[in-house]
């Protein structure tokens, strides 16, 4: 069974062993970051911004809080299926040491089949992720002053899938603000800048690429081959 999955991903045993050794070498670094995340007094975990189980965010605060600090709202990546707010802990540590508050936003993910077993994340569509990221940003815009942040210096950042979600959130919010009948809890004008790191933005240009690797999509996204081929854009 495992060898079948390796063949689908076009990964041989040598590469698997090499990746395993590389992962072992990374363990000391992960331990350091994990210790910082769970035990540092500068990390404030689990602020609730919505009514879903994953609607939480973490704050990374500078040691020196003598005045309002700039704020980075960070949406983590993870291919829309494996992300978690703690993945932003290294970024939070590095920026907080430079007198910047970092808020890492968590959100619901897709439920997927991976290597033959269920990874039981709460189910959510891309629209749900965008909606919840918007709620997290709203919390930051309206509450960050209570934790020493400067509401006039808020920057939005996303990485990989998080970059895509953050970009969609800005677009959705701009559309909402253009409609006078819709109530907005935060404004795009409150975001000083957006930084998208290694994100996917124009998926129409990636359709052929995804179809050429449909067997991988079957495993990662739990989507049948026939469905992908039948719904090609």
């Amino acid at each position: 069974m495992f060898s079948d999955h390796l063949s689908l991903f076009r990964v041989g045993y040598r590469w698997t062993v090499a990746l395993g050794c590389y992962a072992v070498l990374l363990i000391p670094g992960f331990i350091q970051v994990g210790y910082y995340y769970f035990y540092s007094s500068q990390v404030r975990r689990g602020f609730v911004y919505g009514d879903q189980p994953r609607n939480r965010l973490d704050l990374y605060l500078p040691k020196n809080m003598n005045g309002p600090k700039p704020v980075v709202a960070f949406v983590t990546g993870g291919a829309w299926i494996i992300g978690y707010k703690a993945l932003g802990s290294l970024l939070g540590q590095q920026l907080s040491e430079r007198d910047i508050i970092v808020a890492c936003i968590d959100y619901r993910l897709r439920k997927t089949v991976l290597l033959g077993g269920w990874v039981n994340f709460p189910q959510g569509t891309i629209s749900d992720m965008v909606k919840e990221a918007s709620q997290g940003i709203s919390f930051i815009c309206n509450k960050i002053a209570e934790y020493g942040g400067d509401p006039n210096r808020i920057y939005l950042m996303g990485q990989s899938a998080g970059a895509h979600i953050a970009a969609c959130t800005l677009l959705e919010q701009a559309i909402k603000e253009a409609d006078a009948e819709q109530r907005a809890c935060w404004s795009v004008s409150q975001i000083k800048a957006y930084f998208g790191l290694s994100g996917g933005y124009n998926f129409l240009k990636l359709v052929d690429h995804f179809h050429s690797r449909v067997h991988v999509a079957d495993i990662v996204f739990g989507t049948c081959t026939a469905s992908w081929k039948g719904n090609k854009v």
Side-chain angles (χ1 to χ4, degrees):
M1 177 66 72
F2 183 69
S3 60
D4 292 339
H5 287 307
L6 289 179
S7 64
L8 287 175
F9 281 111
R10 299 173 186 172
V11 176
Y13 282 103
R14 290 184 179 179
W15 275 106
T16 304
V17 172
L19 289 172
C21 293
Y22 179 67
V24 170
L25 293 174
L26 292 176
I27 288 176
F30 284 130
I31 292 175
Q32 289 181 342
V33 174
Y35 184 85
Y36 170 81
Y37 178 74
F38 287 107
Y39 296 104
S40 174
S41 60
Q42 294 173 245
V43 182
R44 304 282 297 278
R45 304 190 307 274
F47 288 89
V48 178
Y49 69 78
D51 57 4
Q52 295 296 323
R54 292 290 293 269
N55 291 172
R56 305 287 188 273
L57 61 83
D58 297 331
L59 292 181
Y60 297 81
L61 305 176
K63 288 182 178 179
N64 182 4
M65 294 297 292
N66 59 347
K69 305 295 184 183
V71 181
V72 170
F74 182 61
V75 184
T76 60
W80 303 275
I81 54 174
I82 58 173
Y84 184 58
K85 56 188 173 64
L87 297 179
S89 56
L90 183 58
L91 176 72
Q93 180 181 13
Q94 294 297 316
L95 292 185
S96 64
E97 291 176 355
R98 292 160 175 79
D99 274 357
I100 300 171
I101 294 176
V102 178
C104 290
I105 302 170
D106 206 4
Y107 52 90
R108 279 184 293 175
L109 301 166
R110 288 191 52 162
K111 191 174 185 180
T112 182
V113 176
L114 184 61
L115 299 181
W118 282 103
V119 179
N120 292 310
F121 293 113
Q123 286 184 302
T125 64
I126 296 293
S127 295
D128 293 327
M129 299 175 199
V130 171
K131 176 183 176 181
E132 292 173 13
S134 180
Q135 290 176 322
I137 295 169
S138 175
F139 178 95
I140 295 165
C141 289
N142 293 299
K143 299 286 188 180
I144 199 62
E146 299 176 14
Y147 304 97
D150 186 347
N152 296 314
R153 290 188 292 168
I154 298 176
Y155 302 84
L156 179 61
M157 178 184 293
Q159 189 270 329
S160 190
H164 167 253
I165 293 169
C168 289
T169 301
L170 286 175
L171 291 173
E172 286 284 332
Q173 187 65 22
I175 293 171
K176 184 182 293 186
E177 290 179 28
D179 186 349
E181 296 183 359
Q182 294 197 50
R183 179 175 174 271
C185 298
W186 64 281
S187 173
V188 171
S189 63
Q190 292 177 270
I191 305 300
K192 300 294 290 184
Y194 163 70
F195 304 96
L197 307 177
S198 60
Y201 307 104
N202 190 345
F203 285 100
L204 292 178
K205 290 187 176 181
L206 295 174
V207 170
D208 290 336
H209 173 76
F210 288 144
H211 279 280
S212 69
R213 288 158 176 78
V214 67
H215 51 281
V216 176
D218 288 346
I219 295 175
V220 177
F221 294 103
T223 309
C224 68
T225 303
S227 175
W228 272 67
K229 291 181 177 178
N231 293 286
K232 187 173 181 179
V233 177

